[in-house]
């Protein structure tokens, strides 16, 4: 392996590859910041530009766009509560709150550092474990996938706020909205009411642009607008305490993201929600989550980056895309006459190892770019909101159009914006809805496949050890807080009675 | 989820916090009840409509399974929430009735001669009523901008919306409004059209 690593280093550090890697990560950061233009769109848009390059150079640049987008999407989530894609939604919870508390620079720095930590750890994991992990991932059948999704959905308890029932209801609304269009595994068109635009379903990126970006803008106007934040420079810089709190959360997020990113289709979004949920359970500062906690930025950001890197495992070693973006990258491999799969590591060692080493270099470039620029990016919040929000609405709607190049997405984003405003106003949490909407198609597909596997008996989920363990964990995750709250309520009057005489 | 602590120089003029459920010490509002009732109706309608797609087909999960399951859950959960809110409202009323002789705490909290919290001015100097109107105008403007897309194209219609927002809603001068709209237009054209090659619709007039 050391020979291969040396070959990879030699390939990745050539001046040409370094230059294109830098161009890739810089472009990726800009694309990621624009709502709607996620990494998959960014890679697809710029694929034609790379056709004149050597295959390894082109793939290094395209991969650079991929992880550059992850950084960029985090910046817009933190600064203006406008997630670039679904895997950055969770960052709007604590990252945006940190920004509103005058700590935007620190939030951006935590985001960049935790991404970097995750990237380095997962890249080493990728180099060492690609083949065995890919093999393990292949053992995940529909029941196991269904169980993982149920566990993902159970993280709602961390997002539901004070009213768990309302949070679960919003997740159910998200699942219901995901059923619009042609059913997964069927030929029926559902809830389309004769509209051709609805046949392919509601684009979740357009919905999340509306819910978060437009909804947030309208909510700010309702609340009376935000004053420009003129934070002191020292508040914009990450502190030693931030780093101390960031590291354990980043490590937990990395582990979870790596495990989930390996599973084809499970993806970074699920990883970010689950890592946030995990922080809500085990984090030392879990009570601060939702108010601008460092852990609320570090964990989802690390898991996002870890999942993105781990999604290359099934892509490179099996030829199965681990995410939407790696599916586009898989297309790029084919364009250059390469066939990802078990033989790729043997036949193209310079390309594969050069690409893997370039991940390290690219992530280092992103850290060098983003860390000093964090306080500079944070200056965007000094722009008076009167000028900032028309610009947010402008780029949000342009981004909504660019998703599928159709005006119907504009109306979806607009409608979701109106919905998002009323949801915020009446305290209906938006994050569970997005989770339901994103996981819906995956849930339904695995549900249908599990049903077929068990000949109608969904209880086979309990007959297989892995799926049974995940399902039980999901049930416990939902029920435990309810039961604990009931126990606390029952104990409270007793304590009150005991304390009354002494009061 | 919203409503984090305010920071920065504007903290001394922090915006007014208005939430539907947030009336100090009060129960759920009518809007809360209406919103949850709408959800219940939506869930019920989805469950009934979804049944037509087939809940189970040959004993296996059908195309209507998820719509019926989620719709049914939404209907039941929302009904339970309405019942809970109704009970909470009744308890709050009973509580208010008991406290009535003492007087309304909220009214007591506002010193004589000052405006009620909802009438406080925000950082832009607007009252709650003006903010409500501003939201309606923003909704209307965005809708109008989208309706104009087939005629003047996406970039122009959204830039026009920015111009009107800054001029009418934010009451800035014409120079600031035109500059904001022009900056947005230039940014959109440069990034989306020139760099990313996105085929933005130029409308019937085909200007940009």
């Amino acid at each position: 392996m050391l020979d291969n690593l040396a070959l990879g280093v030699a390939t990745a550090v050539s001046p040409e590859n370094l230059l294109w890697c830098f161009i890739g990560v810089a472009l990726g950061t800009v694309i990621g910041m624009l709502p709607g233009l996620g990494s998959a769109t960014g890679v697809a848009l710029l694929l034609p530009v790379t056709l004149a390059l050597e295959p390894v150079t082109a793939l290094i640049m395209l991969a650079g766009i991929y992880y550059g987008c992850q950084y960029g999407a985090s910046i817009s989530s933190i600064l203006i509560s406008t997630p670039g894609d679904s895997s950055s939604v969770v960052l709007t919870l604590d990252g945006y709150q940190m920004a509103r508390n005058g700590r935007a620079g620190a939030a951006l720095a935590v985001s960049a550092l935790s991404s970097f930590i995750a990237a380095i750890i997962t890249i080493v994991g990728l180099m060492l474990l690609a083949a065995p992990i890919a093999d393990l991932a292949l053992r995940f059948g529909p029941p196991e996938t269904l169980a993982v999704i149920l566990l993902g959905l159970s993280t709602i308890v961390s997002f539901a706020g004070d009213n768990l029932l309302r949070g679960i209801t919003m997740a159910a609304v998200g699942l219901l909205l995901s059923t619009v269009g042609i059913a997964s595994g069927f030929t029926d068109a559902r809830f389309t009411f004769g509209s051709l635009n609805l046949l392919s379903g509601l684009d979740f990126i357009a919905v999340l642009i509306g819910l978060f970006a437009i909804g947030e803008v309208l909510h700010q106007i309702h609340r009376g607008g935000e004053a420009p934040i003129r934070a002191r420079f020292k508040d914009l810089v990450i502190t030693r305490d931030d780093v101390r709190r960031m590291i354990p959360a980043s490590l937990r997020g990395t582990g979870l993201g790596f495990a989930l990113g390996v599973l084809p289709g499970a993806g970074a979004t699920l990883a970010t929600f689950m890592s946030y949920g995990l922080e809500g359970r085990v984090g030392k500062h879990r009570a601060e989550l939702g108010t601008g906690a460092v852990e609320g930025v570090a964990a989802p950001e690390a898991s996002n980056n870890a999942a993105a890197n781990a999604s290359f495992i099934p892509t490179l070693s099996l030829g199965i895309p681990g995410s939407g973006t790696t599916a586009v990258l898989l297309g790029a491999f084919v364009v250059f006459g390469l066939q990802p799969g078990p033989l790729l590591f043997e036949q193209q060692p310079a390309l594969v190892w050069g690409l893997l080493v370039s991940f390290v270099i690219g992530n280092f470039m992103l850290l060098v770019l983003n860390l000093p620029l964090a306080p500079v990016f944070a200056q965007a919040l000094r722009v008076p909101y009167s000028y900032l929000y028309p610009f947010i609405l402008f780029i949000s709607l342009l981004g909504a159009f660019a998703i599928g190049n159709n005006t119907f997405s504009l109306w979806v984003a607009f409608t979701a914006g109106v919905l998002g405003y009323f949801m915020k106003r009446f305290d209906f949490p938006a994050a569970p809805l997005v989770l339901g909407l994103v996981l819906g198609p995956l849930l339904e597909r695995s549900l249908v496949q599990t049903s077929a596997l068990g000949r109608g008996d969904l209880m086979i989920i309990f007959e297989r050890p892995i799926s049974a363990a995940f399902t039980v964990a999901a049930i416990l995750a939902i029920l435990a807080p309810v039961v604990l709250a009931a126990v606390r309520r029952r104990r409270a009057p007793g304590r009150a009675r005991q304390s009354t005489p002494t009061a | 989820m919203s409503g984090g602590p305010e920071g920065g120089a504007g903290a001394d003029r922090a915006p007014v916090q208005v939430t539907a459920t947030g009336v100090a010490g009060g129960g759920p509002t009518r809007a809360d009840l209406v919103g949850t009732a709408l959800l219940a109706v939506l869930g019920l309608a989805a469950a009934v409509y979804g049944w037509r797609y087939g809940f189970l087909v040959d004993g296996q999960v059908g195309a209507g399974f998820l719509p019926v399951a989620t719709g049914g859950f939404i209907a039941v959960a929302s009904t339970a929430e309405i019942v809970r809110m109704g009970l909470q409202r009744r308890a709050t009323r009973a509580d208010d009735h008991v406290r009535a002789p003492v007087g309304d705490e909220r009214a007591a909290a506002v010193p004589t001669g000052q405006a009620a919290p909802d009438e406080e001015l925000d950082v832009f100097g607007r009252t709650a009523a003006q903010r409500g109107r501003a939201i309606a105008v923003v909704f209307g403007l965005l809708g109008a901008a989208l309706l104009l897309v087939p005629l003047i194209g996406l970039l122009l219609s959204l830039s026009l919306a920015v111009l009107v927002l800054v001029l009418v809603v934010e009451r800035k001068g014409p120079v600031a409004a035109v500059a904001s709209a022009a900056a947005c237009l230039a940014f959109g054209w440069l990034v989306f059209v020139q760099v990313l090659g996105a085929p933005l619709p130029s409308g019937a007039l085909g200007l940009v």
Side-chain angles (χ1 to χ4, degrees):
Chain A
M1 197 189 84
L2 285 176
D3 290 344
N4 285 329
L5 196 59
L7 182 65
V9 172
T11 309
V13 297
S14 76
E16 192 188 6
N17 288 343
L18 282 176
L19 174 71
W20 284 102
C21 184
F22 179 77
I23 293 171
V25 296
L27 276 175
T29 307
V30 175
I31 292 169
M33 279 197 272
L34 301 171
L37 288 180
S39 51
T41 315
V43 172
L45 279 170
L46 292 168
L47 177 59
V49 178
T50 64
L51 289 178
L53 303 174
E54 284 291 314
V56 65
T57 310
L59 290 169
I60 283 173
M61 185 208 167
L62 293 174
I65 293 170
Y66 183 19
Y67 42 81
C69 278
Q70 314 270 354
Y71 278 74
S74 309
I75 294 169
S76 53
S77 281
I78 289 168
L79 294 183
I80 53 174
S81 185
T82 303
D85 59 26
S86 58
S87 57
S88 306
V89 166
V90 180
L91 271 188
T92 61
L93 302 177
D94 280 87
Y96 183 58
Q97 285 306 327
M98 276 184 82
R100 299 301 339 156
N101 296 346
R103 307 214 59 225
L108 291 171
V110 167
S111 155
L113 276 169
S114 49
S115 286
F116 183 71
I117 291 170
I120 299 305
I121 294 173
T122 50
I123 288 161
V124 173
L126 193 63
M127 289 171 173
L128 294 173
L129 304 168
I133 288 180
D135 186 48
L136 184 73
L138 274 184
R139 291 188 202 162
F140 264 60
E144 286 78 12
T145 309
L146 177 62
V148 169
I149 295 165
L150 291 177
L151 185 60
L153 282 169
S154 73
T155 59
I156 292 161
V157 289
S158 303
F159 304 94
D162 297 333
N163 193 333
L164 179 60
L165 185 63
R166 195 174 265 193
I168 297 173
T169 307
M170 293 321 292
V173 172
L175 287 173
L176 183 61
L177 288 176
S178 78
T179 64
V180 173
I182 293 187
S184 179
F186 302 97
T187 52
D188 309 67
R190 299 173 300 189
F191 305 116
T192 55
F193 308 106
S195 165
L196 291 177
N197 287 313
L198 285 172
L199 277 178
S200 52
L202 294 170
D203 193 290
F204 67 82
I205 299 284
V207 175
L208 78 88
I209 285 175
L211 281 180
F212 285 88
I214 301 174
E216 175 63 27
V217 162
L218 293 167
H219 186 61
Q220 293 294 351
I221 297 171
H222 171 77
R223 290 176 61 204
E226 295 285 6
I229 294 177
R230 293 187 184 88
R232 292 166 302 178
F233 189 78
K234 73 171 192 180
D235 290 332
L236 293 174
V237 180
I238 190 166
T239 63
R240 200 171 286 175
D241 184 52
D242 291 334
V243 175
R244 231 189 339 258
R245 290 175 60 170
M246 177 197 78
I247 290 173
S250 299
L251 294 177
R252 284 190 287 269
T254 302
L256 198 60
F258 191 68
L260 286 168
V262 170
L263 302 174
T269 307
L270 185 58
T272 56
F273 277 87
M274 284 182 75
S275 65
Y276 191 88
L278 186 68
E279 285 309 306
R281 294 292 165 81
V282 303
K284 206 173 167 184
H285 301 273
R286 55 184 176 272
E288 291 173 33
L289 280 182
T291 62
V294 168
E295 293 83 356
V297 177
E301 191 59 13
S303 67
N304 185 16
N305 210 298
N309 284 338
S311 70
F312 276 96
I313 291 178
T315 309
L316 291 176
S317 55
L318 299 171
I320 300 168
S323 66
T325 313
T326 46
V328 182
L329 279 169
L330 202 64
F333 273 90
V334 176
V335 167
F336 290 109
L338 303 162
Q339 184 56 53
L343 295 177
L344 189 71
F345 281 80
E346 287 175 26
Q347 292 172 348
Q348 300 282 348
L351 183 138
V352 173
W353 288 93
L355 185 62
L356 293 178
V357 172
S358 82
F359 289 180
V360 180
I361 295 169
N363 274 284
F364 184 71
M365 284 176 177
L366 279 166
L367 186 71
V368 172
L369 267 177
N370 281 277
L371 217 48
L373 284 178
V376 180
F377 284 134
Q379 298 306 312
L381 296 177
R382 296 180 72 139
V383 177
Y385 205 65
S386 315
Y387 296 108
L388 191 59
Y389 86 77
F391 180 69
I392 295 172
L393 292 174
F394 180 83
I395 57 164
S396 296
L397 287 169
L398 278 186
F401 175 85
I403 300 161
N405 293 330
N406 68 64
T407 46
F408 182 70
S409 296
L410 292 170
W411 287 104
V412 173
F414 174 68
T415 312
V418 177
L419 185 71
Y421 163 67
F422 284 108
M423 282 171 64
K424 274 177 187 288
R425 194 171 161 189
F426 298 116
D427 286 333
F428 284 88
L433 190 147
V434 173
L435 187 65
L437 189 61
V438 172
L439 293 185
L442 211 58
L443 173 75
E444 186 167 36
R445 196 181 314 130
S446 51
L447 199 62
V448 170
Q449 288 171 341
T450 304
S451 168
L453 203 67
R455 301 189 180 187
D457 181 13
L458 287 172
M459 288 299 116
I460 62 158
I461 201 167
F462 290 105
E463 290 169 13
R464 297 158 69 129
I466 298 174
S467 59
F470 280 127
T471 311
V472 170
I475 293 168
L476 286 176
I478 289 282
L479 289 184
V482 179
V483 173
L484 284 174
V487 170
R488 267 189 223 119
R489 266 200 304 274
R490 186 165 285 191
R491 281 182 184 168
R495 276 199 202 129
R497 274 197 298 275
Q498 281 171 4
S499 61
T500 309
T502 57
Chain B
M1 289 201 310
S2 59
E6 302 298 324
D12 55 336
R13 291 166 66 198
V16 181
Q17 285 278 8
V18 186
T19 61
T21 53
V23 184
T29 62
R30 183 174 295 171
D32 243 338
L33 283 166
V34 170
T36 314
L38 278 174
L39 261 183
V41 172
L42 172 86
L44 190 65
V48 172
Y49 207 83
W51 191 265
R52 302 187 329 174
Y53 304 125
F55 186 69
L56 293 174
V57 178
D58 300 329
Q60 294 184 14
V61 166
F65 185 89
L66 201 57
V68 172
T70 51
F73 177 81
I74 294 165
V76 172
S78 302
T79 309
E81 181 73 354
I82 290 167
V83 172
R84 187 194 65 80
M85 285 193 288
L87 292 173
Q88 192 188 343
R89 212 173 178 188
R90 190 182 290 177
T92 310
R93 272 192 195 146
D95 198 30
D96 286 349
H97 185 69
V98 173
R99 283 194 206 170
V102 182
D104 188 343
E105 284 175 10
R106 272 177 290 146
V110 180
T112 318
Q114 278 190 17
D118 276 6
E119 289 308 312
E120 274 180 27
L121 301 180
D122 68 5
V123 290
F124 308 129
R126 285 185 297 217
T127 63
Q130 285 172 324
R131 289 198 298 273
R133 276 197 295 278
I135 290 166
V137 172
V138 176
F139 275 149
L141 262 177
L142 289 182
L146 297 190
L147 287 172
L148 274 177
V149 172
L151 182 65
I152 61 172
L154 184 59
L155 271 177
L156 273 184
S157 64
L158 291 181
S159 303
L160 201 60
V162 170
L163 180 95
V164 182
L165 272 175
V166 177
L167 197 64
V168 177
V169 180
E170 298 307 324
R171 295 181 191 166
K172 303 288 178 193
V175 176
V178 171
S180 303
C184 284
L185 182 66
F187 178 85
W189 180 79
L190 200 69
V191 174
F192 283 86
V193 178
Q194 293 304 309
V195 178
L196 300 172
L200 301 184
S202 54
L205 298 182
L207 296 172
V208 183

